């Protein structure tokens, strides 16, 4: 029997691309997730639910359905009050909170909450993106938990340009019913079938049976619905390459986020004649634009936003959503050893017309005064190896205080760009103790 490629290796992803006909047809891949990863992912989902419960927010697409009804803002407070306990996996939490009731939980932007989990998924998918490139609009993952009969959203089609990798971690099985978008359109127009009527449309669907540990791929534009009889948990990794129109709108939204609209937030009437546009100067003073955005045409502005957007997602392994910044600042010493948080990268961009550089770390960004030596330090970190902090400090201007370099490393750590591998002084102290005991 021919040797099978290692799961999620370059060869494995080559086969994935072949079977899915270059990501154009659905397919199930049996058991690429081993038992250890299944357990790890279930605990990660519990951690994410706990984090959302602390925030008590629906901002990240957190929705709960109970007995066919989506919980409102007051009803969901009971869920926030009963998060997973320490060490409790999501299966145990579901049994404790929902008992035998039919329920569904949906979470978007899952990559923001559990950094070990997000890194594992990013490492898993890196060989694929090395082959096909990062999706233009980035990636994010959503989480589906429940024992509902069918997806609470009903038969639906996601936004054009969104395909999905469905990582199934059980414990129950799931069946995905899918319809080609053109055939679905004919069935519900020429065929006279009512949109969303599963009983009438089921005979025309392709069905894919998914067990715990399986991976299911669904291409963009597919009408679909999931069904299960028991509790099932899925992590769905969405790859976004939206239509040009939708993507342009996203870039305009990205431009808007760069504008500092400080000052009073007034609701004013404009009594000037319609030909007089001077009122806009009160709303949108030129001084509040980033310096490099001034005097750009609309096309130039969108192009600048595109470059900025790509640097953000490329620094974050394709994720659209940056992680929450660390609440506490790590204090580094020259004796520490650090490395970049692989597979992420720290990227930079010279700011036009200014002696400044923008630093991109895990989708976050901050600007500093341009110094070539800081770029050398970043280059050293990006090689992926472990580095003594003392070595990194020697790359900087010898006239600088070491506090400058230590603060810069601390800033990278705030945004999850680097990790402390070991404190050499602590290790030496431990070795000294062990030696004296011997």
């Amino acid at each position: 029997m021919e040797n099978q490629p290692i799961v999620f290796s370059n060869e494995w992803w080559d086969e994935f691309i072949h079977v899915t006909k270059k990501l154009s047809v659905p397919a199930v891949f049996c058991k690429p997730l081993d038992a250890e990863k299944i357990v790890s992912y279930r605990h990660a989902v519990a951690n994410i639910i706990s984090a959302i419960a602390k925030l008590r927010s629906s901002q990240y697409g957190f929705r709960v359905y109970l007995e066919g009804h989506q919980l409102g803002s007051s009803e969901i407070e009971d869920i926030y009050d009963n998060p997973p306990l320490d060490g409790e996996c999501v299966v145990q939490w579901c049994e404790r909170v929902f008992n035998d009731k039919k329920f569904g939980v949906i979470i978007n932007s899952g990559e923001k909450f559990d950094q070990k989990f997000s890194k594992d998924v990013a490492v898993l998918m890196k060989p694929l993106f090395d082959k096909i490139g990062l999706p233009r609009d980035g990636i994010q993952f959503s989480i589906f938990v429940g024992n509902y009969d069918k997806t609470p959203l009903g038969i639906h089609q996601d936004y054009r340009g969104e395909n999905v990798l469905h990582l199934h971690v059980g414990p129950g099985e799931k069946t995905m019913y899918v319809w080609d978008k053109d055939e679905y359109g004919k069935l519900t127009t020429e065929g006279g079938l009512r949109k969303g009527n599963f009983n009438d449309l089921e005979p025309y669907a392709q069905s894919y049976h998914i067990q715990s540990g399986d991976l299911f791929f669904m291409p963009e534009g597919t009408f679909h619905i999931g069904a299960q009889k028991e509790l099932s948990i899925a992590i769905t990794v969405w790859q976004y390459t939206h239509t040009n129109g939708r993507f342009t709108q996203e870039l305009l939204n990205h431009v808007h986020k760069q504008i500092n609209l400080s000052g009073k937030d007034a609701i004013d009437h404009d009594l000037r004649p319609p030909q007089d546009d001077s009122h806009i100067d009160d709303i949108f003073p030129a001084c509040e634009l980033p310096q490099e955005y001034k005097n750009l045409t609309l096309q130039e502005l969108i192009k600048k936003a595109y470059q900025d957007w790509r640097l953000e997602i490329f620094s974050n392994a394709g994720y659209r959503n940056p992680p929450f910044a660390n609440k506490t600042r790590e204090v580094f010493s020259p004796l520490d050893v650090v490395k970049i948080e692989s597979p992420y990268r720290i990227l930079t961009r010279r700011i036009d017309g200014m002696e400044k550089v923008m630093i991109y770390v895990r989708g976050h960004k901050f600007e500093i005064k341009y110094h070539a030596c800081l770029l050398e330090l970043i280059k050293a970190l990006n090689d992926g190896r472990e580095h003594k902090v003392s070595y990194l400090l020697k790359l900087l201007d010898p006239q600088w205080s070491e506090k400058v370099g230590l603060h810069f490393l601390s800033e990278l750590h705030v945004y999850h760009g680097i990790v402390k591998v070991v404190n050499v002084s602590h290790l030496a102290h431990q070795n000294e103790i062990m030696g004296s005991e011997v």
Side-chain angles (χ1 to χ4, degrees), residues 49 52 57-58 60-64 76 79-80 105-108:
I49 294 173
I52 291 175
S57 172
S58 61
Y60 305 103
F62 183 64
R63 288 156 285 170
V64 178
I76 207 168
I79 306 298
Y80 294 150
V105 176
I106 301 176
I107 303 167
N108 295 336

Side-chain angles (χ1 to χ4, degrees), residues 270 272-282:
D270 186 1
R272 300 175 179 89
Q275 295 86 353
D276 185 349
D277 62 4
S278 59
H279 178 61
I280 200 70
D281 294 333
D282 300 329

Side-chain angles (χ1 to χ4, degrees), residues 118-137:
S118 300
K119 176 178 177 176
D120 194 89
V121 173
V123 170
L124 177 153
M125 299 199 65
K126 185 178 184 302
L128 174 64
F129 295 140
D130 286 344
K131 296 175 186 298
I132 67 172
L134 282 177
R136 187 174 65 178
D137 302 29

